[in-house]
Amino acid sequence: MPLLMSGLDHDTAAVAIREQLSFSAQQVELLDSLLCSMPGVTGAVLLSTCNRTELYVTAEGSLVPGELLCHMAGKHWTEFAPYFYTLEGEEAARHLLEVASGLKSAIWGEDQIVTQVGQAMERARNAAAMDSILSRLFQTAVSAAKEIKTQVRFRAVPATAASQAVALLEEELQGLSGKRAVVIGNGMMGRIAARLLSNAGAEVFVTLRTYRHGETVVPSGCAAVPYDRRLETIDGADVLFSATTSSHYTFTLEQAQSLKKCPAWLIDLAIPRDIAPELEHLPGICVLNVDDLGLSPQTTDTAALEQAERLVKKHLDEFYQWWDYREAIPVMQELKDSLHRRFAGEELTVEEAVSRTVELMLGGLKGKVRADDLRECAEKIDAFTRSRRKSNLSPEIPFRFPVFADLRGKKVVIIGGGTVARRRIHTLLPFEAELVVVSPELIGEERGIHWQKRAYQPGDLEGAFLAIAATDCRAVNHAVYEEAQARNIPVSVADKREECTFFFPAICTGEQVIAGVVSKGDNHHATAAAARRIRAVLAEKPSLPNRNE
């Protein structure tokens, strides 16, 4: 599945261009949903900040994400194409990790971007636009960024555009003590600016659109004033900051000319811009926007950059190890089917079966396997065996709390078509769930299910309320568990209780009564025996089929 991205940032496009493709949180979620519905697009995540707009997609076939974004935003691609960069595959993945870590930021090493990347990921999830590849990639990017923040010691570079602006003002004005500053906007950037100005000794006023005395919180040491009275507050001030998400200017040329004394320093921290560009031409007025507040990473700290790049590579390698394993899952089933056909009808001991399987597999990989690879594989098998024995000796396994859910119309995905999967289907049918079964083969015929006659593929759990892994392949069941975890979907894994976030119960019904019975996940015979006794007490009629024991 190709991974693609297109974007523009502070290096490729001036603020006048970027602000035309800057989106609010609500717009991002809507665009994520619309983009994911486009033909060939299987996942989409839009990242929109003051310094960059980037679209990451997974898609079947060739496309240019930037062109899709412009189309959805009502812009002409030909006008914006010169400002976009487009990357694919490993280059796209590496770019996201570097962006999240602050290595591509105008202010090198800044902290806000990792939060913004995490927010982009959550918005895509809310829009049901996040597939398993993008989910794993964005999680990897956030993990890489957090490790870099803790391991790499960047030089004393201001962490945000606001702190860079305040540092510049302190230098130009020989300190801010006693200066009067006005901040328009009480969002994250506005609060940061107000707090920094106050800490530097300035008298700070924060303008608010909805203001009730004593109710709206502004940074300590700052005064709150209504937005509608901002001009009388700005008049005579030394510095004006504006950091809103407004679609129109918060300070215009006409408003500036109406003042007795306009602030000499106008700091615009918004995208789209809050302060009208025409103000740049007024004598004695200095207007700074986010493009004017950057630092070049190439001139900052070579040692820190090299250390950060090593950590990016480490996390990128881990992502591609996951990707390679994901791509191999369908092939694992093919290999298993080939071995089944090869040994069909033969009566073999465990030792014979293991020996011949290893010989056949290594014969097919001749010249491609190293001794170190085999040794690592053997060590992992031994480690798994030891952990399994240890878990079997565990003295106490906690009970799970029973929860009874309404499954009517809810999507329940069952991966597998063998005996266990068949029992799960029979148990679920009376509860009117939307049952989706994914398996190359299915024992028996059944109405009331949607059977996808193929092997499991990552992404099959999209939109599921519950997931059930019931194949006879450990790798496939584990992959289902991982996808369920990434999507926050409750999952029952037939061959490993440690991976079950819920245990599938034996169902007992009576008149106006239903009970679900589970053990601690380690004694199915006890579950079956208890269910039989409960059914006897309930004098159960066979109105709900159950073959779970």
Side-chain angles (χ1 to χ4, degrees):
M1 183 68 62
L3 169 66
L4 302 160
M5 71 79 59
S6 292
L8 48 78
D9 65 11
H10 55 90
D11 285 330
T12 66
V15 64
I17 300 296
R18 298 201 310 277
E19 66 186 358
Q20 297 181 61
L21 286 170
S22 178
F23 306 101
S24 67
Q26 293 79 10
Q27 290 172 325
V28 166
E29 282 197 27
L30 176 60
L31 285 168
D32 281 337
S33 179
L34 292 173
L35 287 160
C36 198
S37 68
M38 295 284 287
V41 177
T42 57
V45 183
L46 178 59
L47 172 65
S48 182
T49 75
C50 62
N51 279 322
R52 70 181 62 250
T53 297
E54 295 183 343
L55 173 62
Y56 294 80
V57 301
T58 49
E60 298 171 348
S62 60
L63 53 82
V64 179
E67 186 173 2
L68 286 182
L69 178 60
C70 286
H71 172 72
M72 286 296 183
K75 305 293 183 182
H76 294 292
W77 168 241
T78 53
E79 295 178 11
F80 289 88
Y83 305 104
F84 271 88
Y85 43 86
T86 297
L87 305 171
E88 61 180 284
E90 185 172 338
E91 287 186 349
R94 181 187 299 277
H95 179 82
L96 177 61
L97 268 65
E98 291 175 345
V99 166
S101 302
L103 304 182
K104 296 285 188 180
S105 296
I107 300 173
W108 190 52
E110 56 105 350
D111 294 328
Q112 281 181 274
I113 186 63
V114 63
T115 301
Q116 292 164 332
V117 168
Q119 290 170 340
M121 177 170 61
E122 288 306 311
R123 287 165 188 152
R125 281 209 181 102
N126 293 339
M130 177 79 78
D131 67 358
S132 58
I133 293 175
L134 289 173
S135 177
R136 187 68 176 231
L137 176 60
F138 271 74
Q139 289 172 1
T140 300
V142 171
S143 296
K146 289 180 178 179
E147 183 171 2
I148 286 171
K149 297 303 179 189
T150 57
Q151 297 293 328
V152 180
R153 300 186 67 84
F154 295 106
R155 290 181 183 175
V157 177
T160 67
S163 56
Q164 175 68 3
V166 171
L168 175 64
L169 290 173
E170 286 191 288
E171 181 178 345
E172 293 291 333
L173 301 176
Q174 285 79 52
L176 290 172
S177 180
K179 303 295 183 182
R180 185 179 177 189
V182 178
V183 178
I184 301 176
N186 193 39
M188 180 174 64
M189 188 68 80
R191 291 195 298 272
I192 291 173
R195 186 175 63 252
L196 291 169
L197 288 164
S198 179
N199 291 343
E203 181 186 12
V204 182
F205 297 85
V206 180
T207 71
L208 305 170
R209 287 189 180 274
T210 54
Y211 172 68
R212 295 181 179 84
H213 182 72
E215 291 186 12
T216 305
V217 177
V218 297
S220 177
C222 302
V225 296
Y227 177 80
D228 292 341
R229 294 178 55 193
R230 68 189 184 284
L231 293 181
E232 61 186 86
T233 308
I234 293 170
D235 200 353
D238 301 288
V239 176
L240 170 65
F241 278 67
S242 191
T244 77
T245 57
S246 174
S247 58
H248 60 269
Y249 294 130
T250 59
F251 193 54
T252 66
L253 176 61
E254 182 181 358
Q255 291 168 339
Q257 291 173 335
S258 71
L259 303 179
K260 294 178 183 178
K261 180 188 175 185
C262 179
W265 292 88
L266 306 178
I267 312 298
D268 192 342
L269 300 178
I271 295 285
R273 285 174 288 183
D274 277 350
I275 296 174
E278 295 82 5
L279 285 162
E280 298 174 359
H281 305 300
L282 287 181
I285 304 297
C286 180
V287 181
L288 298 177
N289 59 46
V290 291
D291 280 358
D292 303 314
L293 299 170
L295 294 175
S296 170
Q298 286 78 12
T299 61
T300 306
D301 191 337
T302 302
L305 179 59
E306 291 176 351
Q307 185 183 2
E309 287 177 340
R310 285 194 297 271
L311 291 173
V312 165
K313 183 180 184 303
K314 184 191 85 167
H315 285 270
L316 190 64
D317 289 345
E318 291 174 356
F319 170 73
Y320 273 98
Q321 287 172 6
W322 171 85
W323 180 302
D324 291 341
Y325 185 78
R326 172 189 177 278
E327 294 293 296
I329 288 172
V331 184
M332 290 180 191
Q333 187 60 47
E334 293 176 17
L335 178 61
K336 188 172 183 179
D337 292 341
S338 297
L339 290 168
H340 271 291
R341 289 191 293 271
R342 175 65 180 81
F343 297 138
E346 298 187 35
E347 294 185 2
L348 302 173
T349 65
V350 172
E351 184 177 351
E352 289 171 335
V354 169
S355 177
R356 292 177 64 180
T357 298
V358 172
E359 289 171 1
L360 284 169
M361 291 182 63
L362 294 183
L365 295 171
K366 191 173 182 180
K368 298 180 181 179
V369 178
R370 302 178 305 161
D372 287 345
D373 295 330
L374 295 176
R375 189 173 296 108
E376 182 179 355
C377 182
E379 289 172 354
K380 287 184 176 179
I381 292 172
D382 289 340
F384 176 78
T385 303
R386 288 193 297 271
S387 66
R388 188 168 184 177
R389 287 172 178 167
K390 184 177 180 180
S391 66
N392 288 340
L393 295 174
S394 178
E396 186 63 32
I397 302 167
F399 279 117
R400 303 291 182 91
F401 183 81
V403 175
F404 294 87
D406 183 2
L407 296 184
R408 290 175 297 176
K410 303 289 199 312
K411 182 178 179 181
V412 177
V413 178
I414 301 171
I415 309 298
T419 304
V420 174
R422 186 70 179 174
R423 290 203 301 264
R424 301 296 188 256
I425 294 169
H426 275 207
T427 301
L428 288 166
L429 275 172
F431 295 94
E432 302 179 31
E434 178 192 349
L435 297 182
V436 178
V437 180
V438 181
S439 177
E441 297 179 351
L442 180 61
I443 295 177
E445 296 293 334
E446 190 62 70
R447 294 180 180 179
I449 67 170
H450 304 285
W451 178 24
Q452 298 183 15
K453 193 176 180 179
R454 57 170 174 79
Y456 163 76
Q457 298 172 359
D460 282 341
L461 303 189
E462 183 175 356
F465 181 73
L466 294 177
I468 296 166
T471 76
D472 56 0
C473 178
R474 173 89 282 272
V476 173
N477 289 347
H478 179 69
V480 174
Y481 160 75
E482 284 200 325
E483 182 179 350
Q485 288 290 94
R487 294 178 179 272
N488 293 318
I489 297 170
V491 61
S492 171
V493 182
D495 64 344
K496 191 166 186 179
R497 66 171 183 240
E498 293 83 4
E499 293 182 355
C500 292
T501 56
F502 77 94
F503 290 152
F504 199 93
I507 300 298
C508 310
T509 59
E511 188 175 354
Q512 302 298 318
V513 175
I514 186 167
V517 183
V518 297
S519 65
K520 295 182 178 181
D522 60 343
N523 193 333
H524 299 297
H525 295 295
T527 301
R532 283 193 295 269
R533 290 194 296 272
I534 293 173
R535 291 185 188 121
V537 171
L538 295 175
E540 181 188 41
K541 299 177 182 179
S543 56
L544 290 180
N546 180 74
R547 301 178 186 177
N548 192 47
E549 62 252 37

